[in-house]
Amino acid sequence: SKFTRSRNTFYLIRVPKGYALKSDANTTYTGEYALLMEAGEAPEAEFGNTMKSFPASLVAGKRITYSAMIKSAEVADGYAGIWWRAEGDIDVLSFGSSKSQFDPSGLDWAQHSITLDIPEEAERVYFGMILRGGGKAWFDDQVVTIDGEPYEEEVEAFHPLTADQRTYLQDRIIPLHSYDPEDARTDDLAALMKLIGPASVVGLGESTHGSSAIFQLKHRIYK
Protein backbone atom coordinates (compact mmCIF):
# COMPACT_ATOMS: atom_id res chain seq x y z
CA SER A 1 0.00 0.00 0.00
CA LYS A 2 2.58 2.51 -1.08
CA PHE A 3 1.86 5.97 -2.37
CA THR A 4 5.35 6.63 -3.76
CA ARG A 5 6.25 7.05 -7.40
CA SER A 6 6.18 3.39 -8.36
CA ARG A 7 2.62 2.58 -7.36
CA ASN A 8 -0.66 4.19 -6.36
CA THR A 9 -2.95 2.48 -3.85
CA PHE A 10 -5.07 4.03 -1.14
CA TYR A 11 -6.41 2.80 2.20
CA LEU A 12 -9.63 4.77 2.52
CA ILE A 13 -11.84 5.68 -0.37
CA ARG A 14 -14.98 7.78 -0.59
CA VAL A 15 -16.84 7.10 -3.83
CA PRO A 16 -20.31 8.70 -3.85
CA LYS A 17 -22.91 7.48 -6.29
CA GLY A 18 -22.14 8.52 -9.83
CA TYR A 19 -18.34 8.37 -9.49
CA ALA A 20 -16.02 5.48 -10.38
CA LEU A 21 -12.52 4.79 -9.15
CA LYS A 22 -10.00 2.35 -10.63
CA SER A 23 -6.37 1.72 -11.50
CA ASP A 24 -5.41 2.57 -15.09
CA ALA A 25 -2.34 0.99 -16.69
CA ASN A 26 -2.88 2.74 -20.04
CA THR A 27 -2.62 6.37 -18.93
CA THR A 28 0.27 6.84 -16.50
CA TYR A 29 2.98 9.39 -15.75
CA THR A 30 5.81 7.37 -14.18
CA GLY A 31 4.19 4.49 -12.30
CA GLU A 32 2.82 1.15 -13.39
CA TYR A 33 -0.68 2.48 -12.75
CA ALA A 34 -2.41 5.79 -12.31
CA LEU A 35 -5.53 6.29 -10.26
CA LEU A 36 -8.48 7.15 -12.51
CA MET A 37 -11.46 8.93 -11.00
CA GLU A 38 -14.42 9.44 -13.31
CA ALA A 39 -17.87 10.98 -12.97
CA GLY A 40 -20.88 9.41 -14.65
CA GLU A 41 -23.27 11.30 -16.90
CA ALA A 42 -25.28 12.57 -13.93
CA PRO A 43 -23.35 12.09 -10.67
CA GLU A 44 -25.59 12.11 -7.60
CA ALA A 45 -22.96 13.84 -5.44
CA GLU A 46 -20.81 16.94 -5.81
CA PHE A 47 -17.46 15.15 -5.81
CA GLY A 48 -15.51 11.91 -5.60
CA ASN A 49 -12.65 11.67 -3.16
CA THR A 50 -9.86 9.41 -1.90
CA MET A 51 -8.62 9.68 1.67
CA LYS A 52 -5.61 8.19 3.44
CA SER A 53 -4.58 8.75 7.04
CA PHE A 54 -1.02 9.86 7.77
CA PRO A 55 0.85 9.30 11.08
CA ALA A 56 0.33 12.58 12.94
CA SER A 57 3.37 11.91 15.12
CA LEU A 58 5.63 12.16 12.07
CA VAL A 59 4.47 15.60 10.96
CA ALA A 60 3.25 17.45 14.08
CA GLY A 61 5.21 20.70 14.35
CA LYS A 62 6.77 20.22 10.92
CA ARG A 63 6.29 21.46 7.36
CA ILE A 64 5.02 19.03 4.76
CA THR A 65 4.88 19.22 1.00
CA TYR A 66 2.52 16.91 -0.85
CA SER A 67 2.63 16.78 -4.64
CA ALA A 68 1.11 14.69 -7.41
CA MET A 69 0.92 14.68 -11.18
CA ILE A 70 -2.63 15.17 -12.45
CA LYS A 71 -4.16 14.86 -15.89
CA SER A 72 -7.83 15.59 -16.61
CA ALA A 73 -10.39 15.54 -19.38
CA GLU A 74 -13.82 17.12 -19.76
CA VAL A 75 -13.96 18.41 -16.19
CA ALA A 76 -17.02 20.65 -16.12
CA ASP A 77 -18.05 23.03 -13.35
CA GLY A 78 -15.37 21.76 -11.00
CA TYR A 79 -11.73 20.79 -10.68
CA ALA A 80 -9.30 17.96 -9.98
CA GLY A 81 -6.74 18.32 -7.24
CA ILE A 82 -5.10 17.12 -4.04
CA TRP A 83 -5.67 18.11 -0.41
CA TRP A 84 -4.20 17.73 3.07
CA ARG A 85 -5.89 18.26 6.45
CA ALA A 86 -4.65 18.28 10.06
CA GLU A 87 -7.12 18.01 12.97
CA GLY A 88 -6.85 18.56 16.70
CA ASP A 89 -9.15 17.35 19.42
CA ILE A 90 -12.30 18.73 17.78
CA ASP A 91 -11.19 21.35 15.23
CA VAL A 92 -9.49 21.45 11.84
CA LEU A 93 -6.11 23.06 12.54
CA SER A 94 -4.77 23.44 9.01
CA PHE A 95 -5.95 22.63 5.50
CA GLY A 96 -4.40 22.89 2.07
CA SER A 97 -5.81 22.31 -1.40
CA SER A 98 -4.44 22.59 -4.93
CA LYS A 99 -7.78 23.82 -6.31
CA SER A 100 -6.25 27.08 -7.56
CA GLN A 101 -3.62 25.13 -9.56
CA PHE A 102 -6.19 23.34 -11.74
CA ASP A 103 -6.20 24.31 -15.43
CA PRO A 104 -9.45 23.16 -17.09
CA SER A 105 -8.02 23.74 -20.56
CA GLY A 106 -4.97 21.52 -20.13
CA LEU A 107 -5.00 17.84 -21.06
CA ASP A 108 -1.33 17.20 -20.30
CA TRP A 109 0.11 16.02 -17.01
CA ALA A 110 0.68 18.89 -14.58
CA GLN A 111 2.16 18.94 -11.10
CA HIS A 112 0.01 20.00 -8.17
CA SER A 113 1.73 20.79 -4.89
CA ILE A 114 0.70 21.77 -1.34
CA THR A 115 3.05 23.05 1.38
CA LEU A 116 1.54 23.18 4.84
CA ASP A 117 2.75 23.80 8.39
CA ILE A 118 1.30 21.19 10.74
CA PRO A 119 0.65 22.47 14.30
CA GLU A 120 2.24 20.69 17.25
CA GLU A 121 -1.19 19.78 18.64
CA ALA A 122 -2.29 17.88 15.51
CA GLU A 123 -3.82 14.52 16.43
CA ARG A 124 -5.16 13.31 13.10
CA VAL A 125 -3.85 13.92 9.60
CA TYR A 126 -5.50 13.00 6.29
CA PHE A 127 -4.70 13.60 2.64
CA GLY A 128 -6.13 12.57 -0.71
CA MET A 129 -7.31 13.44 -4.20
CA ILE A 130 -10.56 14.96 -5.35
CA LEU A 131 -12.61 15.32 -8.52
CA ARG A 132 -15.43 17.84 -8.24
CA GLY A 133 -18.01 18.10 -11.01
CA GLY A 134 -18.02 16.02 -14.20
CA GLY A 135 -15.30 14.55 -16.38
CA LYS A 136 -12.38 12.41 -15.28
CA ALA A 137 -8.91 12.80 -13.83
CA TRP A 138 -5.78 10.68 -13.48
CA PHE A 139 -3.43 10.91 -10.48
CA ASP A 140 0.14 9.62 -10.42
CA ASP A 141 3.64 10.20 -9.00
CA GLN A 142 2.64 11.16 -5.46
CA VAL A 143 5.45 12.45 -3.26
CA VAL A 144 5.43 13.62 0.38
CA THR A 145 8.33 15.45 2.01
CA ILE A 146 8.64 16.31 5.71
CA ASP A 147 10.84 19.34 6.41
CA GLY A 148 12.32 18.83 2.94
CA GLU A 149 13.12 15.13 3.41
CA PRO A 150 11.29 12.62 1.17
CA TYR A 151 9.00 10.26 3.05
CA GLU A 152 8.46 6.66 1.96
CA GLU A 153 5.98 4.49 3.75
CA GLU A 154 7.32 1.25 5.17
CA VAL A 155 5.41 -1.72 3.83
CA GLU A 156 5.63 -5.26 5.10
CA ALA A 157 6.96 -7.76 2.60
CA PHE A 158 4.40 -10.06 1.02
CA HIS A 159 4.75 -13.74 1.84
CA PRO A 160 2.65 -16.39 0.04
CA LEU A 161 0.30 -18.37 2.25
CA THR A 162 1.52 -21.72 3.52
CA ALA A 163 -0.64 -24.81 3.03
CA ASP A 164 -1.64 -24.72 6.73
CA GLN A 165 -2.61 -21.04 6.51
CA ARG A 166 -4.67 -21.66 3.38
CA THR A 167 -6.48 -24.56 5.05
CA TYR A 168 -7.11 -22.44 8.15
CA LEU A 169 -8.73 -19.71 6.07
CA GLN A 170 -10.78 -22.10 3.93
CA ASP A 171 -12.22 -23.68 7.09
CA ARG A 172 -13.30 -20.30 8.49
CA ILE A 173 -14.23 -18.07 5.55
CA ILE A 174 -17.95 -17.40 5.17
CA PRO A 175 -18.76 -16.41 1.55
CA LEU A 176 -21.38 -13.67 1.15
CA HIS A 177 -23.86 -13.73 -1.69
CA SER A 178 -24.30 -9.96 -1.91
CA TYR A 179 -23.95 -6.69 -0.02
CA ASP A 180 -27.14 -5.25 -1.53
CA PRO A 181 -29.70 -4.56 1.26
CA GLU A 182 -32.52 -5.13 -1.25
CA ASP A 183 -31.36 -8.70 -1.91
CA ALA A 184 -34.06 -11.01 -0.49
CA ARG A 185 -31.72 -13.98 -0.09
CA THR A 186 -30.57 -14.53 3.51
CA ASP A 187 -29.14 -18.08 3.64
CA ASP A 188 -25.55 -16.81 3.39
CA LEU A 189 -26.09 -14.74 6.55
CA ALA A 190 -27.27 -17.73 8.61
CA ALA A 191 -23.74 -18.30 9.94
CA LEU A 192 -23.95 -14.93 11.73
CA MET A 193 -26.46 -16.33 14.20
CA LYS A 194 -23.97 -18.97 15.31
CA LEU A 195 -21.22 -16.34 15.62
CA ILE A 196 -23.44 -13.97 17.59
CA GLY A 197 -24.77 -16.70 19.90
CA PRO A 198 -26.47 -15.32 23.04
CA ALA A 199 -24.90 -11.85 22.76
CA SER A 200 -27.35 -8.98 23.29
CA VAL A 201 -25.04 -6.27 21.92
CA VAL A 202 -23.30 -6.67 18.54
CA GLY A 203 -20.83 -4.27 16.95
CA LEU A 204 -20.21 -4.20 13.20
CA GLY A 205 -16.72 -3.08 12.23
CA GLU A 206 -15.27 -2.08 8.88
CA SER A 207 -12.05 -2.54 6.97
CA THR A 208 -12.40 0.91 5.37
CA HIS A 209 -14.41 3.90 6.53
CA GLY A 210 -16.68 5.45 3.92
CA SER A 211 -16.80 2.60 1.37
CA SER A 212 -20.38 2.30 0.13
CA ALA A 213 -20.33 -1.51 -0.13
CA ILE A 214 -19.51 -1.91 3.56
CA PHE A 215 -22.33 0.38 4.67
CA GLN A 216 -24.74 -1.42 2.33
CA LEU A 217 -23.65 -4.75 3.82
CA LYS A 218 -24.29 -3.43 7.33
CA HIS A 219 -27.76 -2.32 6.18
CA ARG A 220 -28.38 -5.80 4.79
CA ILE A 221 -27.29 -7.42 8.08
CA TYR A 222 -29.54 -5.08 10.09
CA LYS A 223 -32.52 -6.04 7.93
Side-chain angles (χ1 to χ4, degrees):
S1 298
K2 303 183 74 173
F3 60 88
T4 53
R5 301 184 181 190
S6 60
R7 188 175 300 171
N8 287 279
T9 56
F10 308 92
Y11 287 160
L12 307 178
I13 299 175
R14 182 180 188 274
V15 190
K17 290 184 178 180
Y19 285 84
L21 195 66
K22 64 181 180 179
S23 296
D24 189 346
N26 298 316
T27 303
T28 66
Y29 183 73
T30 58
E32 298 176 12
Y33 300 92
L35 178 75
L36 170 61
M37 197 182 310
E38 184 173 11
E41 293 183 0
E44 299 179 30
E46 294 182 357
F47 63 89
N49 185 38
T50 71
M51 182 173 73
K52 178 175 172 64
S53 61
F54 197 94
S57 60
L58 294 181
V59 293
K62 300 180 180 179
R63 172 169 291 188
I64 63 95
T65 297
Y66 170 38
S67 65
M69 299 300 296
I70 301 177
K71 180 178 180 179
S72 63
E74 302 172 354
V75 176
D77 301 322
Y79 67 94
I82 56 176
W83 58 270
W84 188 286
R85 185 175 76 239
E87 300 177 356
D89 184 21
I90 57 174
D91 299 323
V92 175
L93 302 177
S94 57
F95 177 81
S97 167
S98 70
K99 176 181 178 180
S100 62
Q101 301 170 30
F102 177 69
D103 180 4
S105 64
L107 299 179
D108 293 329
W109 289 99
Q111 186 181 57
H112 286 222
S113 182
I114 301 168
T115 297
L116 201 64
D117 290 320
I118 308 299
E120 290 276 5
E121 60 270 29
E123 297 181 5
R124 297 175 302 278
V125 175
Y126 305 99
F127 70 99
M129 286 144 286
I130 183 172
L131 172 62
R132 182 177 289 274
K136 53 189 174 181
W138 293 264
F139 303 85
D140 199 352
D141 197 21
Q142 297 185 90
V143 177
V144 172
T145 64
I146 304 173
D147 284 345
E149 295 295 326
Y151 170 79
E152 290 202 14
E153 184 179 26
E154 294 184 1
V155 180
E156 294 183 4
F158 171 76
H159 299 286
L161 294 176
T162 66
D164 288 343
Q165 290 171 332
R166 192 176 299 277
T167 299
Y168 179 91
L169 289 174
Q170 290 173 341
D171 289 343
R172 290 163 176 79
I173 285 175
I174 302 172
L176 294 174
H177 170 68
S178 171
Y179 58 78
D180 184 358
E182 301 303 321
D183 193 326
R185 178 176 170 180
T186 60
D187 58 295
D188 59 325
L189 298 178
L192 288 174
M193 300 309 297
K194 181 179 179 181
L195 294 173
I196 292 171
S200 58
V201 178
V202 178
L204 296 181
E206 54 197 28
S207 56
T208 64
H209 181 62
S211 297
S212 60
I214 290 180
F215 281 93
Q216 290 180 68
L217 178 58
K218 290 183 180 183
H219 186 183
R220 181 174 180 237
I221 291 174
Y222 293 149
K223 292 182 67 177

